[in-house]
């Protein structure tokens, strides 16, 4: 691990993003209970609970914050009753990830001007928890020491169109060795042919959506991007309580630009580095990516916490409610998912928009 320069782990903070709607995993993921609140794999814990536990093993719990939409606050409290209201950043309307990161920056700065923040999605699968801890702490130290943004990348194992791809630039120096490089370019969700070219080049990593920077680095970027918003936060809440801050956000959040951290950080490329990590990773984002990621069942199927009898069946993803049994014969490359009143049977493709279109066409009654 890099040597620590005027930084200790007591300065490390985490924001878990748990406000998404999970439309591409419909009908398992619904508007009233999106994917981050679901136990997909029969572990007894939702994706959010697993993510919170992962970071609780690294940081003090009082340094962990969770953002979610107001319609999901009750679900969050049900699943994580140990998280108090001060550590929940409630988005009054759906926005992309940059606005909530700006709010988190302001919240942490009031506590600790030397803070370093990691922002993480709630819906990731991490294979090696110890490697994750090591890579994360090393990345946070590097981001502090070099006053840069740092994202964590994974070497691709397949041409997955549903992920973002980060092109490696030059090495960040001897201190970083060969594992940290500048970001040369970023491509969000390329088509399969481009994804294949990226992998063949050996110059690209998958974007994990984990972003790290000091409070100062985040603040400077957001001042450039959202100057009126940051000035208003500073002016209004230099001494205000978190409750008053929440009330102000309720009234003004709609004025925040609907931008992602990828567009604000990775696509700008200035002062941005990427660390190639070794913890094993998957984004639980689409049925196709779940199929491509998880260990196979008989005939190369992925069966998620479901009782099944399969015959001459290959390439399928199968997820049925507890107590439901499936007998499937002579089916190839399909998604078979049941949730409440909806049974979805559709060809498995790498175009996640196909599921979104089906949801819009047939599923809007209950999301």
């Amino acid at each position: 691990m890099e040597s620590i320069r005027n930084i200790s782990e007591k300065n490390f903070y985490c924001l878990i993003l748990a406000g998404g709607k999970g439309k591409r995993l419909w009908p398992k993921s619904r508007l009233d209970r999106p994917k981050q609140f679901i136990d997909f794999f029969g572990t007894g814990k939702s994706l959010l609970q697993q993510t919170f536990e992962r970071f609780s093993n690294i940081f003090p719990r009082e340094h962990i914050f969770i953002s979610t939409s107001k319609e999901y606050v009750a679900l969050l409290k049900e699943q994580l009753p140990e998280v108090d209201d001060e550590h929940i950043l409630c988005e009054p309307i759906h926005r992309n990830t940059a606005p909530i990161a700006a709010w988190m920056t302001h919240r942490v700065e009031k506590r600790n001007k030397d803070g370093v923040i990691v922002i993480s999605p709630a819906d990731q699968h991490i294979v090696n928890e110890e490697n994750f801890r090591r890579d994360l702490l090393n990345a946070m130290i590097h981001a502090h020491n070099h006053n840069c943004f740092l994202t964590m990348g994974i070497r691709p194992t397949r041409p997955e169109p549903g992920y973002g791809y980060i092109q490696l630039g030059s090495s960040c120096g001897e201190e970083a060795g060969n594992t940290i490089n500048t970001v040369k370019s970023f491509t969000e969700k390329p088509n399969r042919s481009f994804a294949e070219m990226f992998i063949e080049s050996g110059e690209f990593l998958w974007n994990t959506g984990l972003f790290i920077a000091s409070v100062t680095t985040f603040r400077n970027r957001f001042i450039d991007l959202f100057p009126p918003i940051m000035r208003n936060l500073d002016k209004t809440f230099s001494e205000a309580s978190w409750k008053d801050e929440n009330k102000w956000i309720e009234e003004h959040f709609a004025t925040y630009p609907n931008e992602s951290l990828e567009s604000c950080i990775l696509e700008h490329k200035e002062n941005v580095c990427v660390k190639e990590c070794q913890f094993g990773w998957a984004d639980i984002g689409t049925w196709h990516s779940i199929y491509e990621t998880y260990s196979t069942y008989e005939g190369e199927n992925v069966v998620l916490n479901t009782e099944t009898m399969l015959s001459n069946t290959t390439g399928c993803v199968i997820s049925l409610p507890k107590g439901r049994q499936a007998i499937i014969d002579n089916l190839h490359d399909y998604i078979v998912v049941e949730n409440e009143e909806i049974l979805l049977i559709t060809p498995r493709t790498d175009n996640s928009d196909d599921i979104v279109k089906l949801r819009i066409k047939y599923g809007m009654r209950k999301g």
Side-chain angles (χ1 to χ4, degrees), residues 66-80:
I66 304 174
S67 70
T68 195
S69 300
K70 63 180 180 180
E71 60 263 44
Y72 303 140
V73 170
L75 266 176
L76 191 158
K77 290 183 175 182
E78 174 189 314
Q79 294 197 354
L80 296 174

Side-chain angles (χ1 to χ4, degrees), residues 91-133:
E91 301 171 86
I93 63 172
H94 283 276
R95 279 288 184 264
N96 218 315
T97 49
I100 199 66
W103 185 11
M104 174 67 175
T105 298
H106 188 271
R107 179 65 62 90
V108 172
E109 185 179 32
K110 288 176 63 177
R111 293 166 165 247
N112 184 350
K113 293 184 182 298
D114 295 321
V116 181
I117 303 169
V118 55
I119 299 175
S120 170
D123 53 357
Q124 299 188 327
H125 172 68
I126 303 298
V127 176
N128 189 311
E129 299 282 349
E130 184 53 39
N131 284 358
F132 178 82
R133 182 182 188 278

Side-chain angles (χ1 to χ4, degrees), residues 58-69:
I58 301 173
F59 305 133
R61 287 192 173 181
E62 60 269 22
H63 286 204
I64 301 174
F65 294 76
I66 304 174
S67 70
T68 195
S69 300

Side-chain angles (χ1 to χ4, degrees), residues 307-338:
E307 295 183 54
T308 61
M309 181 180 296
L310 304 180
S311 174
N312 190 31
T313 292
T314 60
C316 293
V317 181
I318 303 164
S319 177
L320 303 179
K322 186 176 181 180
R324 185 80 75 193
Q325 295 184 349
I327 301 172
I328 299 175
D329 178 56
N330 198 28
L331 191 66
H332 306 281
D333 300 324
Y334 265 73
I335 296 167
V336 181
V337 179
E338 182 181 0

